[in-house]
Amino acid sequence: MIDIEILRRAYKMMCHVKNMAATYEANRSICKYVHSTSRGHEAIQLATAFQLQPQDFVSPYYRDESIIMGIGFSPYEQMLQLLAKGNDIFTGGREYYSHANYKGEDKPTMIHQSSATGMQAIPTTGLAQGVQYVEKHLLQKLRKGKNGELPIVICSLGDASITEGEVSEAFQFTALKQLPIIYLVQDNNWGISVTAAEARAMNAYEFIRGFKGIEGVQVDGSDFEASFDMMKKVCDTVRTERKPFLVHAKVPLLGHHTSGVRKEFYRTDEDWAQHQVNDPTPKLRKKLLERGIAESEIVQIEKEATTFIANEFAKAVAAPEPTSSSVEDFVFAPGAVTEEKGERHPAGKEKIVMVDAALFAIREIMETHPEAILYGQDVGRRLGGVFREAATLAEQFGDDRVFNTAIQEAYVVGSTVGMSAIGLKPIVEVQFADYIYPGFNQLVTEVSKSCYLSCGKFPVSMILRVPTGAYGGGGPYHSGSIETTVLSIKGIKVAYPSNAADMKGLMKAAFLDPNPVVMLEHKGLYWSKVPGTDEAKTIEPGEDYILPFGKANIVLHADEEKIHNGESVVVITYGMGVYWAKDAAKNFNGKIEIIDLRTLFPLDEALIFKSVQLHGKCLVLTEEQQNNSFAESLAGRISKNCFQHLDAPVEVLGAVNVPAVPMNMELEKAMLPNAKKLTDALQKLLSD
């Protein structure tokens, strides 16, 4: 039988939640930001929260205010987020209600959560993946309970989210790896205005039976005692046996979907009445009376809750708004490499190709940093990457540190959020740039926003390697350039090396950066097999070599006399464009300066603007289709900042504006820029 003090504590919190919902409804003009409440879900949420210990991890979803309260956060702290106040401890006024995150020694860790339905499943499964890895290989770094209890991970979801494909990706990985995670699925029969019967062929309990290795259980989530017993049993099992569970809890929905999508818009009186029958609060009240708690004591609890919540709300309303000067805080975490260090051209070293430079950099990283792990499709022991970019790494570091994943780009990208939160440093890959799009939801929604929306508590330290670019008939799904699309995402950094030395130095800097980095690696430069790209091979830099982001390089200087006479032009480019530009420059006898950007964000604007102002003429060269590209955006920025120094409009040369790279090599050649097309464009620019 559950201790009466636990029941009393749960009832007190249920009264708080009930009064909070009533207060928000009575003050709609003040509670102006969209929010959901946990009314109807309180029993299962509190029963879950009461099992958690400080070493644990929990990812609530947007209706989980009772979980957040149950692990120790006050109504006042939650109300500050409801009202988007400046001293909101979770997100500083940047996130919706019940989008908590927390990092401390006294409560379970909560990584940042988005509002996108079900999207927390992958990052939280990544947490469980990280817990399992640390437990196995870095046990001294694993935080345990006061009696040595191991951590567990809880991912809370609404039942409607189970139809999301990315949730299935998380389940698949969990089942395969037997992670110590519990998926708590709260089923209130609704997905906004869509009923379960309309949207789902089965509930979560029925669905999980298809994932061998995840045990499913069901519980009446409106019954606190039943929920507490079930969650205790499941949490204790996962804590000791280290295997995954799904708990399917049937609950009523006793509030609106959100404050903006109100129940009267879509729910019938009959439906509403059926849900009210299962209200957890009167159910628990009845059990308290049955256990001998006096009616007068219960009434006192209820009265105190009303007064307490009114006071908490008044304090929250009076709290200050965020200062406008804070709006740009926490886009990135500090600590990035800022200076070039180490030997770039050590004596006695041989030239290496770019693909080996990346391989050697990662090998050196993994030798020095036990928290570094590498995973993705086909990077494991048998193949070592489709470009052999991870060859021999699994043999050296083992299958737990270098391993294959399924064809799950979303999982590969999104799991890094949880892995990073536990202190690991994941290096992950997608096989081709054209295949990054299934992972974009996680890259945009979770990875890029985590640092900003957690006020710096959870930057995502990861490297995403992306082979990109066209050469030799790769066709429409293995040849694309994606830098403009990636650069549209704020909160990530983007590198695009053009030679082996830059590749190694930037890879080292990317690993040391506490923020997410996308490494765009041109397949045509990997082995310098494309004619004219032999200079992509360089002497291998020393192990200590690091190249900071945001530092472009002048790879070819124009003659001083040509500059003085106004006969020069600067070509700004990156990747394969560097070699097209070098080839074209041979036709101009010292009139061409070439800047290799090396990183696309951050961008070395100081060098760009200085060079453009010196030459007065500029061409931006890209492999991407030209219209609406990063190159055109950069040209516009140059025009604005260098307008008074320009002798001609800033030109842009890119690929032909077709939807994909054709398979046929002649068509591919017709689409892409090359030295001949660039020569024609430069001749025209110099003659203006």
Side-chain angles (χ1 to χ4, degrees):
M1 184 174 290
I2 299 174
D3 189 306
I4 191 68
E5 287 305 314
I6 293 175
L7 299 183
R8 186 182 277 112
R9 179 184 171 207
Y11 187 71
K12 180 179 178 180
M13 289 187 176
M14 285 187 186
C15 290
H16 288 169
V17 168
K18 185 175 181 179
N19 277 277
M20 288 160 73
T23 300
Y24 304 161
E25 185 69 8
N27 293 274
R28 289 172 61 187
S29 61
I30 296 173
C31 304
K32 57 190 176 184
Y33 301 109
V34 173
H35 58 272
S36 299
T37 74
S38 59
R39 284 289 290 123
H41 295 229
E42 305 98 310
I44 185 62
Q45 289 185 20
L46 292 171
T48 300
F50 289 0
Q51 312 307 320
L52 294 175
Q53 301 177 18
Q55 76 272 18
D56 295 332
F57 301 85
V58 59
S59 291
Y61 88 115
Y62 57 78
R63 201 176 295 283
D64 278 349
E65 65 185 351
S66 290
I67 285 183
I68 297 166
M69 183 184 298
I71 62 175
F73 292 97
S74 68
Y76 171 69
E77 289 171 319
Q78 295 191 75
M79 290 171 181
L80 290 174
Q81 188 174 52
L82 170 87
L83 302 174
K85 294 292 188 172
N87 50 354
D88 157 29
I89 67 166
F90 304 125
T91 68
R94 298 173 181 193
E95 261 283 25
Y96 301 97
Y97 185 54
S98 289
H99 288 62
N101 64 83
Y102 183 74
K103 188 176 185 180
E105 296 295 320
D106 60 329
K107 298 180 183 70
T109 297
M110 293 185 286
I111 60 175
H112 165 258
Q113 299 301 307
S114 73
S115 280
T117 302
M119 292 306 99
Q120 72 271 37
I122 285 177
T124 310
T125 303
L127 260 176
Q129 180 186 351
V131 167
Q132 185 184 71
Y133 181 85
V134 173
E135 185 179 338
K136 186 174 181 179
H137 297 283
L138 303 168
L139 187 60
Q140 72 279 8
K141 294 188 176 183
L142 189 70
R143 190 155 65 116
K144 298 181 182 179
K146 59 184 178 181
N147 296 315
E149 300 96 336
L150 292 171
I152 60 173
V153 180
I154 291 183
C155 180
S156 180
L157 300 156
D159 196 65
S161 70
I162 304 304
T163 58
E164 283 280 4
E166 292 188 15
V167 175
S168 293
E169 289 194 21
F171 289 166
Q172 187 76 245
F173 196 92
T174 293
L176 180 66
K177 301 294 185 180
Q178 288 295 286
L179 302 180
I181 188 170
I182 301 161
Y183 298 100
L184 170 62
V185 180
Q186 301 171 57
D187 185 357
N188 62 28
N189 194 58
W190 288 100
I192 309 184
S193 67
V194 181
T195 65
E198 291 177 89
R200 308 196 281 286
M202 62 198 79
N203 66 33
Y205 173 73
E206 295 162 336
F207 184 61
I208 207 64
R209 293 166 70 181
F211 290 87
K212 183 180 179 181
I214 301 179
E215 187 171 341
V217 296
Q218 291 184 294
V219 68
D220 178 357
S222 68
D223 183 326
F224 177 79
E225 283 191 299
S227 296
F228 186 92
D229 287 341
M230 177 62 76
M231 292 309 300
K232 185 177 190 313
K233 178 182 176 182
V234 170
C235 289
D236 288 349
T237 301
V238 177
R239 211 176 284 285
T240 56
E241 297 184 22
R242 318 307 282 160
K243 64 181 184 180
F245 272 80
L246 182 141
V247 178
H248 176 246
K250 192 69 177 173
V251 292
L253 178 60
L254 298 180
H256 309 290
H257 169 70
T258 67
S259 57
V261 182
R262 304 179 64 76
K263 63 179 183 290
E264 58 267 23
F265 294 173
Y266 62 94
R267 296 179 70 177
T268 65
D269 291 341
E270 180 182 3
D271 163 73
W272 182 243
Q274 288 175 345
H275 278 248
Q276 286 179 308
V277 169
N278 287 312
D279 188 336
T281 305
K283 280 187 174 183
L284 184 53
R285 192 183 200 278
K286 183 173 181 288
K287 289 189 177 183
L288 286 172
L289 291 169
E290 291 171 352
R291 291 283 296 271
I293 301 296
E295 172 78 21
S296 59
E297 182 180 344
I298 294 175
V299 170
Q300 185 62 27
I301 291 173
E302 293 164 351
K303 287 181 178 179
E304 288 176 357
T306 301
T307 302
F308 175 67
I309 294 304
N311 291 335
E312 294 279 275
F313 186 68
K315 284 195 302 179
V317 171
E321 299 290 325
T323 59
S324 58
S325 61
S326 68
V327 69
E328 292 185 275
D329 292 348
F330 306 113
V331 174
F332 291 108
V337 173
T338 57
E339 295 181 4
E340 187 171 3
K341 298 178 181 178
E343 284 194 88
R344 184 177 173 94
H345 304 290
K349 288 267 192 173
E350 295 184 358
K351 286 188 175 182
I352 59 171
V353 293
M354 274 183 63
V355 72
D356 284 348
L359 174 66
F360 298 162
I362 293 173
R363 177 184 295 156
E364 291 169 1
I365 286 167
M366 297 187 78
E367 287 172 342
T368 307
H369 298 275
E371 70 274 20
I373 59 173
L374 172 68
Y375 57 98
Q377 296 163 26
D378 297 304
V379 302
R381 184 183 298 266
R382 290 189 195 90
L383 186 59
V386 293
F387 300 102
R388 304 293 288 158
E389 74 279 4
T392 73
L393 292 179
E395 286 89 339
Q396 182 173 353
F397 299 107
D399 295 331
D400 286 342
R401 287 188 74 189
V402 181
F403 58 89
N404 293 325
T405 66
I407 303 172
Q408 294 181 330
E409 288 84 1
Y411 188 85
V412 168
V413 173
S415 60
T416 64
V417 176
M419 298 285 273
S420 178
I422 201 168
L424 299 176
K425 304 266 282 189
I427 303 168
V428 298
E429 296 189 15
V430 297
Q431 282 191 344
F432 294 91
D434 307 83
Y435 299 160
I436 198 173
Y437 299 106
F440 243 65
N441 199 1
Q442 290 292 323
L443 190 62
V444 174
T445 305
E446 308 296 338
V447 174
S448 71
K449 292 179 172 62
S450 184
C451 184
Y452 184 69
L453 293 180
S454 68
C455 291
K457 292 190 288 295
F458 293 104
V460 181
S461 182
M462 60 89 89
I463 300 173
L464 174 57
R465 297 185 65 188
V466 184
T468 188
Y471 80 101
Y477 298 106
H478 298 81
S479 308
S481 293
I482 60 163
E483 52 265 33
T484 294
T485 309
V486 172
L487 287 164
S488 70
I489 307 168
K490 309 305 179 246
I492 62 174
K493 299 183 180 182
V494 181
Y496 202 138
S498 69
N499 60 71
D502 288 352
M503 172 73 89
K504 188 173 184 183
L506 290 171
M507 189 70 76
K508 291 289 186 75
F511 181 80
L512 295 174
D513 199 309
N515 301 287
V517 174
V518 174
M519 293 284 295
L520 298 175
E521 306 173 15
H522 200 292
K523 306 186 302 294
L525 300 178
Y526 265 160
W527 298 285
S528 292
K529 289 183 178 180
V530 175
T533 63
D534 194 61
E535 290 182 1
K537 294 186 287 187
T538 70
I539 297 294
E540 182 189 357
E543 187 172 345
D544 60 348
Y545 181 64
I546 304 173
L547 180 61
F549 279 45
K551 300 293 182 183
N553 185 34
I554 301 176
V555 297
L556 181 67
H557 290 270
D559 292 347
E560 290 290 336
E561 181 182 356
K562 304 296 185 183
I563 297 172
H564 180 74
N565 294 335
E567 299 177 314
S568 65
V569 59
V570 57
V571 177
I572 298 168
T573 189
Y574 52 94
M576 186 64 77
V578 171
Y579 301 96
W580 292 327
K582 284 183 175 182
D583 196 10
K586 297 172 184 176
N587 301 314
F588 291 95
N589 191 28
K591 296 181 179 181
I592 306 300
E593 179 166 297
I594 302 171
I595 292 179
D596 179 0
L597 294 176
R598 302 202 284 201
T599 65
L600 309 186
F601 191 89
L603 190 64
D604 193 349
E605 292 185 348
L607 179 60
I608 293 168
F609 297 158
K610 180 181 178 181
S611 292
V612 172
Q613 290 168 8
L614 177 66
H615 296 278
K617 293 182 178 179
C618 170
L619 185 145
V620 182
L621 174 63
T622 179
E623 183 172 329
E624 281 194 296
Q625 291 89 334
Q626 182 172 328
N627 279 9
N628 305 317
S629 64
F630 158 71
E632 286 197 333
S633 174
L634 178 55
R637 208 177 316 170
I638 292 168
S639 295
K640 178 180 179 181
N641 286 275
C642 304
F643 180 74
Q644 293 181 325
H645 301 270
L646 290 171
D647 298 323
V650 178
E651 293 292 335
V652 179
L653 178 63
V656 175
N657 297 301
V658 295
V661 181
M663 177 75 78
N664 180 273
M665 291 189 194
E666 288 303 312
L667 293 177
E668 179 188 81
K669 182 179 178 182
M671 177 206 174
L672 292 175
N674 56 36
K676 173 63 170 62
K677 293 178 182 180
L678 179 58
T679 297
D680 293 344
L682 289 172
Q683 285 175 338
K684 184 176 184 302
L685 182 57
L686 284 166
S687 66
D688 286 346

